[in-house]
Amino acid sequence: MRSNKGLMIIIFMLGCTFFITLTTHGWDFYQQNIGRNHSFIYKSCCNSSLSLNEIFISAFAALRSTKKQDLRKDLLRKYCAGVNQSLDDLKDTDLKNFIVDDKHGIIYCYIPKVACTNWKRTLIALNYSEPYPDPTSFEHNWVHDSERFQYLNDFPKIDLYSSLLQAKLKHYTKFLFVRDPFVRLISAYRDKMLNYNQYFYEGYVRLILLLYKKQTKMTYNHKVAKKEGLQPSFYEFIQYILDPRTEKKEPFEPHWRQMYRLCHPCLIEYDFVGHQESLQEDAQELLKMLKLEDDIKFPPSYENMTSGNSVMDWYQSVPLEDRRKLYRIYEEDFLLFGYRRPTELLDD
């Protein structure tokens, strides 16, 4: 009897939430957002093995996730308002970071240093075989470097001039994951400037050492360079990014290119915007949204993931004026994706 009474209270509260949402935002909003979670809420309420407390938690977690996504997408609409650009202005090279999964109706724009290796693993696993294997079962070097990611070739790329482009962008679930821009730069430095391969040594590390450390007579072999302890400082890496000559030659390398330039959130209306800072929670919510939560588990995060708490320590070597210049370069990423301006780094 007490259980039935509790269930009635929950149904009443959810009914109130539905009425308020419908009154405030309209039926279309309900269908697009709250409605996609209704089956999850219904399943929780009707599962007799769950306690009332668990039912409350499940129901309101679904609603909280919907609200979080709504706020993130509202922020994109706010800062993208008035953008005088369309998909027709993009080139094929602007869509290099898009992976299309026709089997599940997914379009993923991957951003280096934002869990993209694990999302690539997950998409491969979803398309590999039945039953879906554990994404972590794939060898790391298959997916770490996008240039050598052989299985990505099995996914169709977005063809800018294809008649299917508009249909896929309209009907497929489009998602991306983003990260605090200054933390992402730290991660890029640690991975590509300290743990470099031949490509990054020859194209970037060696150049930075020549330009800003004035180092000469350097080897061309990255293994020899590592043995000799050759590596740029974090500030020298930042100097390279700030140098106006850098982008005159070619656009920023994708590992430190601005996120909005990789995924074009003002031209493509994303259905889901995930954050690295809440990666596991957001990944689970996305898999629920795709109705794939029972088919696959998103891999756990790396233990050595750069912490936002250490940002001040990393940027202490960068003079104040250079930090401000760096913020201006990445300001659109901060604004579009809801990251606060790091006043402790930028103000006197």
Side-chain angles (χ1 to χ4, degrees):
M1 188 71 170
R2 185 178 300 171
S3 177
N4 290 338
K5 186 177 179 181
L7 186 58
M8 291 300 295
I9 293 172
I10 293 171
I11 294 171
F12 174 75
M13 292 179 70
L14 292 176
C16 291
T17 303
F18 166 79
F19 178 77
I20 293 169
T21 302
L22 200 59
T23 304
T24 307
H25 298 286
W27 177 249
D28 289 340
F29 175 88
Y30 175 79
Q31 285 185 310
Q32 294 169 12
N33 295 283
I34 307 295
R36 68 168 52 123
N37 286 316
H38 82 280
S39 61
F40 171 70
I41 295 171
Y42 175 81
K43 187 163 55 178
S44 298
C45 288
C46 297
N47 187 343
S48 59
S49 65
L50 293 178
S51 68
L52 288 178
N53 187 48
E54 289 172 326
I55 294 173
F56 269 119
I57 292 172
S58 297
F60 285 100
L63 295 173
R64 186 179 70 248
S65 172
T66 298
K67 182 63 176 175
K68 181 171 64 175
Q69 282 301 312
D70 187 46
L71 290 172
R72 289 175 183 175
K73 290 184 283 187
D74 279 349
L75 194 64
L76 286 177
R77 282 189 284 269
K78 172 185 173 182
Y79 285 107
C80 290
V83 171
N84 188 22
Q85 197 180 12
S86 70
L87 284 172
D88 295 333
D89 299 317
L90 295 179
K91 303 173 184 176
D92 282 329
T93 52
D94 294 322
L95 299 172
K96 277 182 66 175
N97 285 53
F98 288 77
I99 302 173
V100 181
D101 177 0
D102 286 318
K103 179 178 178 180
H104 299 96
I106 300 170
I107 295 177
Y108 167 46
C109 182
Y110 67 88
I111 297 173
K113 308 315 303 173
V114 191
C116 69
T117 297
N118 277 343
W119 275 115
K120 290 173 185 176
R121 277 195 179 110
T122 300
L123 289 176
I124 290 173
L126 284 170
N127 285 268
Y128 187 68
S129 63
E130 295 281 358
Y132 301 131
D134 179 353
T136 57
S137 65
F138 294 104
E139 290 294 331
H140 184 69
N141 61 1
W142 289 6
V143 296
H144 184 65
D145 213 336
S146 60
E147 292 86 357
R148 299 175 179 81
F149 186 30
Q150 26 182 309
Y151 284 91
L152 267 181
N153 296 328
D154 296 333
F155 289 99
K157 300 293 183 182
I158 291 184
D159 181 358
L160 191 62
Y161 305 103
S162 168
S163 59
L164 293 176
L165 172 61
Q166 294 295 338
K168 288 184 178 183
L169 288 175
K170 181 178 180 181
H171 297 291
Y172 282 16
T173 299
K174 303 166 292 297
F175 77 94
L176 79 165
F177 273 72
V178 296
R179 187 179 195 176
D180 180 292
F182 276 11
V183 177
R184 180 171 170 254
L185 285 179
I186 296 170
S187 183
Y189 168 77
R190 291 170 60 183
D191 188 23
K192 303 305 178 187
M193 298 293 111
L194 302 184
N195 190 31
Y196 50 79
N197 57 20
Q198 184 63 30
Y199 170 78
F200 279 96
Y201 173 71
E202 196 172 339
Y204 302 97
V205 172
R206 195 172 185 279
L207 176 63
I208 291 172
L209 292 173
L210 284 169
L211 287 175
Y212 310 110
K213 193 166 271 188
K214 307 301 180 184
Q215 199 149 350
T216 57
K217 297 181 181 179
M218 284 183 291
T219 177
Y220 282 92
N221 186 290
H222 80 287
K223 293 181 180 178
V224 175
K226 281 186 177 180
K227 287 181 181 178
E228 294 177 355
L230 296 180
Q231 59 186 43
S233 68
F234 183 64
Y235 178 44
E236 287 159 354
F237 172 59
I238 297 302
Q239 282 181 290
Y240 171 73
I241 292 175
L242 295 177
D243 195 327
R245 295 172 295 180
T246 298
E247 281 216 292
K248 283 185 178 179
K249 183 180 178 182
E250 60 182 356
F252 283 156
E253 206 282 331
H255 285 80
W256 49 87
R257 192 179 306 170
Q258 296 93 324
M259 296 181 288
Y260 80 91
R261 292 172 64 187
L262 293 170
C263 291
H264 318 289
C266 290
L267 302 182
I268 295 170
E269 189 173 349
Y270 287 92
D271 301 289
F272 191 94
V273 181
H275 280 206
Q276 175 85 0
E277 294 75 13
S278 52
L279 175 60
Q280 294 300 321
E281 179 185 342
D282 287 356
Q284 186 63 23
E285 290 304 326
L286 175 60
L287 291 175
K288 285 178 184 175
M289 177 178 166
L290 295 168
K291 295 180 173 56
L292 295 171
E293 72 271 25
D294 295 329
D295 299 321
I296 199 163
K297 184 174 177 59
F298 186 75
S301 305
Y302 293 119
E303 290 183 6
N304 65 347
M305 190 171 63
T306 307
S307 167
N309 297 329
S310 64
V311 172
M312 179 65 81
D313 294 334
W314 280 96
Y315 283 91
Q316 278 183 343
S317 65
V318 181
L320 177 61
E321 190 52 41
D322 284 342
R323 288 182 228 159
R324 289 171 174 170
K325 290 178 183 176
L326 191 68
Y327 177 77
R328 287 193 285 271
I329 289 175
Y330 291 93
E331 185 173 15
E332 287 190 66
D333 278 351
F334 278 96
L335 295 175
L336 287 166
F337 301 117
Y339 289 100
R340 71 172 186 86
R341 180 181 181 273
T343 54
E344 67 278 8
L345 293 174
L346 305 176
D347 296 344
D348 292 327

